[in-house]
Amino acid sequence: MTEEARRAIGKLRSPYCPGLMLEVCPSEPAVILRDSIRQMALDGHESDEIVEWMLANHGEEWRALPRWAGWGMWAWILPPAVLIIGAGVLIGVLRSLRGRRDPDEVDDDGTDVSDDENERLTAALAAWDAEERER
Amino acid sequence: MTALGEVALWIALLLTIWGVGTAFIGARRGRGDLVLSSERSLHAIFLLVVLSAVMVVVAFLRNEFHYRYVAGYSNIELATHYKITALWAGHAGSLVFWVALLAFFASLVVRANRWKNRDLMPYVSATLHSVILFFLVVIIFTSNPFETLSFTPADGRGMNPQLQNFWMTAHPPTLYLGFTAFTIPFAFAIAALLSGRLDTRWITETRRWTLLAWFFLTIGIIMGMIWAYETLGWGGYWFWDPVENASVLPWLFGTAFLHSVMIQEKRGMLKSWNLFLVLGTFLLTIFATFLTRSGLIDSVHTFAQNLTISYVFLAYLTVLTIICTGLVWWRRDRLKSEHRLESFLSREAAFLLNNLLFVGAMFAIMWGTMFPLLTEGLLGQTIAVGPPFFDRVTIPIGLVLLALMGIGPVIAWRKASKRNLRRNFTLPTVMGLSVGLILWAAGVRHPYALLTFILGVFTLTTMGVEFWKGTRARARIEGEGAGPAFLHMMSRNRRRYGGYIVHIGLVIMFMGFAGSAYDVEEQAALEPGETMSVTSAWGHTFDLTYQATSAYPATNMTKLVASVRVQRNGRDVGILTAEQRAYRQRDETISVVGIRRAWNEDLYMIMAGIEDPNGVIQGTNPRPLVTFRVLVNPLVPWIWIGGILMAVGTLIAMWPRRGVPERPAPPRTVPVGKVPRRDERELAEIG
């Protein structure tokens, strides 16, 4: 099969199998339609021409890919738009989460820990370090 | 006798109403006896619905064609095992089966929680009862499998031939197990909202249920792919059919939840997001059911139905959405994060991006699936959306997810340092790019296929390094050999390493999908003795010489079997057969494909047409012209291998640990067999 025929068939749904692409529809009329498309491609028609010929004969509803125009455009626009908006919201949420304090977080200036406690903590950590080294 | 099934459904309906009422009143007034009564009614409902399902099966086995359902989906000649699976062959029976599974899980969860989570259980019970109530109402009033005809036909219409297949025997029950099991986390989420206990306990308690649901849904979807590949004779395994899409929507949400839940467990963040995901997953299972059963969308899978079912499901979906949204809004003050996000370069951020992509993919697929219906409703003109649309929209998302599968598990929590990034990702990046270069040099130019392999190798390397580092550390610390160290490491961290195996399975599956970029297809009409050739993407050539076609009468059908001798690069590799089966009762013919499997590709042959089939059957035409469609599908076996790994990984992740008690000892204040008094139960709760 030529590349043009393959491309054209890949853009069409089958009028003979509900929900299936023309390329996989096993019914006899679909086989005949595929043969006609192959022949048109061999005669030098481009894939877009073949698609338009098929849609003119069978109806617009057999187009597998919505057009990038009119209402069909919404099919293409909305999924990436939702992802982009979602990413925006996500970044916003993450920023707000970054700004929020942990409830168990101590102040950076260390006012929650007295000098005496700080000394005891340092000594305990040093002793623990020494113990670890000995092991 | 089979009429008992309908009586059982009615009693079950009355019990669900009792169960919802007693659970709510019991919870609000602190009446333990009412709560217990509600929980016990779930066991009774389970037995009643199972009885009803068994009666449907008995009606099939006894060929009771006065039932519309039996006459519509069976016939005298139908094989016995298909008469059993006919329970889920049509809409009404499959709903009974659905409720039986749901009631089974409900009964199980009540039993598993009889001594714990007592503050949540009344609401869990009420929620489960209400979901069962909805389905029982639908069954009894709109889709009753015990509805009778005004006459008794001599024989039934028979089962759809495409359902007379092993994978169709296994695929729907597995999928239903997944769908129905997602009701349990949903019920716990609703219970957490109603009771106000919104800490991580409901999540911890339902983690295994979520994994179980995900496990069944995953293997159900994969079995559906195998069925489509082997039975429908299209040459592929996924066609973005609306019903296929419907099954993948809750899977995507559920997968997002399984990742996001870890952030709440570890960091106390994203409480409302997790509720949104778990509630959304359940709503999507209802949406999937609506889509499959409404008959609104053209699909090879749909049950033919009238619009009543669509309106009922749509109304239920709307009410549920309003209730869920209202509950989350009501409890919004208790859903604030306990910790802050420290860096965008952290595991939390990677998981959030993963969540965004899963939800984005879900939306894109839902949008594409509903778009034809929406345009038809709004414009009066259908704008179709076919498989190429879904490929274009979802493949880029899938590729980013593939990369995140490698990044998420190894990047540090809270904040990743440059050292952490360098240490974890240098080797995987080098490996991925090296494989990319090798494939490029070998002539692989398809951009998506190339990217899949680069990112796939990157992720596989990160996983491999994780396994290696874990094993080495354990071997050094415990002085064990590599094998025992690996096994002990796995068994002590089942959730983590089970998850890694799921990731490995998914990567292999993605590589299998990428192989489709190099599918090769040829079609030819041959007479016996003639040969057609097809050259694989790997470079070798298959020569297929048509031998003969024979007719075999079989139960329920006549088989036409075409045999073809296959040579690979001139060397004989065997005989391949493809069939056409003509089913007498339904006057339908289906193709059964012939597949020659190798580790790296499938040679796939379809008998696309046959000249003068009646002549072959009657023996007047021994040399019929047959049209063969032959495909060489690279890497398809990897998809099934990946699926098996995913299932194994999920089983490892959810397997309970030995030595960890699943339930505390029953409190001594509650004698066995006695209904505990309210104060005794409260004492039991306090411990």
Side-chain angles (χ1 to χ4, degrees):
Chain A
M1 197 193 299
T2 64
E3 193 50 39
E4 285 300 316
R6 199 185 301 276
R7 211 174 293 160
I9 290 171
K11 289 177 185 170
L12 294 166
R13 293 163 72 233
S14 171
Y16 309 108
C17 304
L20 284 189
M21 291 292 287
L22 179 61
E23 62 185 328
V24 294
C25 173
S27 89
E28 198 59 34
V31 174
I32 295 167
L33 184 56
R34 283 198 292 265
D35 285 343
S36 309
I37 290 173
R38 276 192 202 104
Q39 194 53 52
M40 286 181 77
L42 286 175
D43 293 345
H45 291 278
E46 289 186 0
S47 66
D48 285 344
E49 285 175 1
I50 300 171
V51 169
E52 292 310 320
W53 166 83
M54 191 282 192
L55 296 176
N57 282 288
H58 291 84
E60 182 66 25
E61 67 267 34
W62 306 113
R63 188 189 288 279
L65 277 169
R67 278 175 191 270
W68 181 249
W71 284 94
M73 205 158 60
W74 284 100
W76 293 107
I77 287 178
L78 222 56
V82 164
L83 263 182
I84 291 164
I85 293 166
V89 171
L90 185 70
I91 290 168
V93 170
L94 291 179
R95 284 214 167 124
S96 79
L97 284 174
R98 287 188 79 182
R100 191 176 297 157
R101 268 172 66 105
D102 275 3
D104 53 351
E105 188 182 42
V106 294
D107 284 343
D108 288 338
D109 61 4
T111 48
D112 284 1
V113 183
S114 67
D115 289 347
D116 182 39
E117 283 170 332
N118 214 2
E119 270 176 34
R120 282 169 58 197
L121 178 65
T122 312
L125 283 173
W128 184 71
D129 270 352
E131 213 171 281
E132 283 288 297
R133 272 196 298 274
E134 275 173 25
R135 254 189 241 166
Chain B
M1 183 181 84
T2 43
L4 259 180
E6 190 169 11
V7 176
L9 286 177
W10 275 101
I11 300 172
L13 180 75
L14 295 175
L15 274 177
T16 49
I17 296 167
W18 167 260
V20 174
T22 47
F24 265 119
I25 296 168
R28 304 315 298 179
R29 298 193 181 164
R31 292 270 306 272
D33 54 341
L34 288 181
V35 174
L36 202 62
S37 170
S38 161
E39 291 180 4
R40 285 180 177 164
S41 92
L42 277 173
H43 301 310
I45 290 165
F46 165 58
L47 293 176
L48 287 163
V49 180
V50 167
L51 174 69
S52 179
V54 169
M55 287 302 116
V56 176
V57 173
V58 169
F60 273 109
L61 292 172
R62 291 170 49 164
N63 295 322
E64 294 187 12
F65 296 125
H66 60 284
Y67 290 120
R68 182 188 291 272
Y69 188 66
V70 177
Y73 293 96
S74 179
N75 61 313
I76 293 168
E77 279 191 316
L78 188 69
T80 306
H81 59 284
Y82 289 129
K83 283 185 179 170
I84 296 168
T85 63
L87 172 64
W88 55 81
H91 168 67
S94 67
L95 273 186
V96 173
F97 184 55
W98 179 292
V99 180
L101 295 176
L102 178 55
F104 167 68
F105 284 133
S107 175
L108 210 63
V109 83
V110 161
R111 188 171 161 71
N113 287 278
R114 63 195 184 283
W115 301 114
K116 56 180 183 177
N117 301 315
R118 299 311 306 165
D119 48 344
L120 295 175
M121 284 316 288
Y123 300 108
V124 170
S125 176
T127 310
L128 292 171
H129 272 103
S130 68
V131 176
I132 295 172
L133 175 64
F134 165 74
F135 279 101
L136 284 175
V137 167
V138 172
I139 292 169
I140 291 173
F141 297 105
T142 71
S143 319
N144 193 338
F146 297 102
E147 186 188 341
T148 52
L149 294 165
S150 56
F151 65 103
T152 304
D155 200 355
R157 284 191 65 231
M159 186 187 274
N160 181 341
Q162 286 176 335
L163 302 184
Q164 297 181 41
N165 170 280
F166 167 77
W167 294 111
M168 245 319 162
T169 306
H171 159 66
T174 321
L175 211 57
Y176 291 178
L177 280 166
F179 280 158
T180 50
F182 269 125
T183 315
I184 306 300
F186 169 77
F188 270 89
I190 294 285
L193 283 165
L194 285 171
S195 64
R197 308 285 170 97
L198 287 156
D199 48 28
T200 54
R201 185 159 53 100
W202 74 270
I203 276 184
T204 314
E205 290 300 327
T206 57
R207 189 180 70 79
R208 205 162 278 146
W209 283 103
T210 313
L211 274 172
L212 185 77
W214 192 87
F215 168 77
F216 282 123
L217 196 52
T218 304
I219 57 174
I221 291 170
I222 293 168
M223 280 180 180
M225 289 162 72
I226 299 174
W227 171 73
Y229 187 63
E230 294 190 353
T231 308
L232 297 180
W234 303 335
Y237 39 79
W238 192 265
F239 292 90
W240 297 110
D241 176 272
V243 173
E244 288 176 340
N245 295 351
S247 69
V248 93
L249 299 178
W251 186 88
L252 288 166
F253 245 53
T255 312
F257 175 66
L258 280 173
H259 289 88
S260 169
V261 86
M262 283 187 254
I263 305 179
Q264 185 170 342
E265 282 179 292
K266 290 264 183 195
R267 308 274 290 132
M269 296 160 71
L270 306 179
K271 289 179 182 175
S272 47
W273 177 248
N274 282 324
L275 277 167
F276 166 70
L277 289 176
V278 82
L279 299 175
T281 304
F282 175 73
L283 293 178
L284 285 169
T285 64
I286 300 293
F287 177 74
T289 317
F290 152 73
L291 213 58
T292 314
R293 289 158 197 279
S294 65
L296 287 173
I297 291 175
D298 274 350
S299 160
V300 289
H301 300 277
T302 47
F303 298 101
Q305 275 303 315
N306 58 35
L307 280 177
T308 314
I309 299 294
S310 333
Y311 293 138
V312 171
F313 271 93
L314 217 50
Y316 183 56
L317 203 56
T318 310
V319 169
L320 276 180
T321 309
I322 292 168
I323 291 172
C324 293
T325 312
L327 283 174
V328 174
W329 183 255
W330 177 45
R331 293 294 192 190
R332 65 190 183 282
D333 288 342
R334 297 192 189 189
L335 294 171
K336 287 187 175 145
S337 279
E338 292 165 18
H339 292 91
R340 64 178 196 172
L341 184 90
E342 293 182 21
S343 166
F344 285 104
L345 273 178
S346 63
R347 193 175 297 187
E348 295 94 308
F351 277 18
L352 278 171
L353 179 58
N354 140 312
N355 268 228
L356 172 71
L357 293 169
F358 274 119
V359 174
M362 191 286 299
F363 175 79
I365 295 169
M366 187 194 252
W367 178 242
T369 308
M370 297 303 290
F371 196 73
L373 199 63
L374 291 173
T375 50
E376 191 185 353
L378 294 172
L379 311 172
Q381 174 207 346
T382 305
I383 299 180
V385 173
F389 168 85
F390 293 101
D391 285 343
R392 287 190 195 182
V393 174
T394 56
I395 289 175
I397 296 176
L399 286 171
V400 183
L401 280 170
L402 188 58
L404 281 175
M405 269 193 277
I407 296 169
V410 289
I411 195 169
W413 286 103
R414 297 165 79 107
K415 187 176 184 179
S417 62
K418 277 183 188 164
R419 188 167 162 267
N420 168 277
L421 294 175
R422 208 169 34 237
R423 198 181 56 205
N424 286 321
F425 298 118
T426 305
L427 179 66
T429 308
V430 170
M431 290 292 287
L433 290 174
S434 306
V435 168
L437 277 173
I438 292 166
L439 290 174
W440 177 269
V444 176
R445 293 289 188 275
H446 194 283
Y448 284 150
L450 202 57
L451 266 173
T452 303
F453 277 92
I454 292 171
L455 296 172
V457 170
F458 166 82
T459 299
L460 286 179
T461 311
T462 57
M463 297 293 102
V465 168
E466 279 295 290
F467 275 106
W468 181 71
K469 281 198 312 204
T471 307
R472 193 186 56 171
R474 183 161 178 105
R476 203 169 46 205
I477 292 165
E478 302 290 335
E480 294 173 327
F486 176 79
L487 290 175
H488 287 142
M489 172 195 76
M490 291 278 291
S491 101
R492 288 186 68 85
N493 301 282
R494 286 177 193 165
R495 186 178 178 187
R496 180 178 176 185
Y497 290 103
Y500 288 174
I501 292 174
V502 173
H503 281 191
I504 291 170
L506 203 53
V507 169
I508 292 173
M509 195 179 249
F510 268 56
M511 289 176 169
F513 294 151
S516 68
Y518 291 92
D519 284 355
V520 179
E521 180 186 341
E522 293 293 342
Q523 183 165 317
L526 303 178
E527 283 187 347
E530 287 185 326
T531 299
M532 66 183 288
S533 297
V534 54
T535 301
S536 155
W538 299 96
H540 50 261
T541 300
F542 289 105
D543 296 313
L544 294 98
T545 308
Y546 170 35
Q547 306 286 297
T549 297
S550 314
Y552 300 96
T555 313
N556 216 18
M557 66 178 129
T558 303
K559 291 180 185 178
L560 290 174
V561 183
S563 52
V564 168
R565 177 167 295 283
V566 182
Q567 292 182 310
R568 184 178 184 270
N569 285 343
R571 193 170 58 83
D572 259 4
V573 290
I575 298 281
L576 198 59
T577 60
E579 298 177 19
Q580 282 205 346
R581 293 180 178 176
Y583 286 79
R584 285 191 284 276
Q585 197 65 16
R586 291 180 77 104
D587 198 20
E588 278 181 45
T589 301
I590 65 159
S591 285
V592 176
V593 299
I595 304 174
R596 182 186 173 276
R597 299 178 199 279
W599 69 271
N600 59 348
E601 68 185 7
D602 279 353
L603 175 65
Y604 185 99
M605 184 176 78
I606 307 152
M607 193 174 170
I610 178 166
E611 189 188 56
D612 188 20
N614 288 331
V616 181
I617 292 167
Q618 287 153 13
T620 56
N621 184 0
R623 295 175 57 80
L625 185 79
V626 170
T627 303
F628 291 100
R629 195 169 148 236
V630 177
L631 295 96
V632 183
N633 298 333
L635 303 185
V636 167
W638 291 27
I639 297 172
W640 319 133
I641 294 167
I644 292 167
L645 279 175
M646 285 171 76
V648 170
T650 317
L651 280 175
I652 291 171
M654 70 180 170
W655 204 260
R657 289 183 64 175
R658 261 192 307 180
V660 179
E662 278 300 295
R663 68 174 177 87
R668 274 170 292 178
T669 49
V670 185
V672 176
K674 184 187 163 199
V675 177
R677 287 196 348 248
R678 179 183 159 200
D679 54 345
E680 287 172 338
R681 294 177 72 79
E682 281 172 357
L683 192 66
E685 279 171 31
I686 297 161

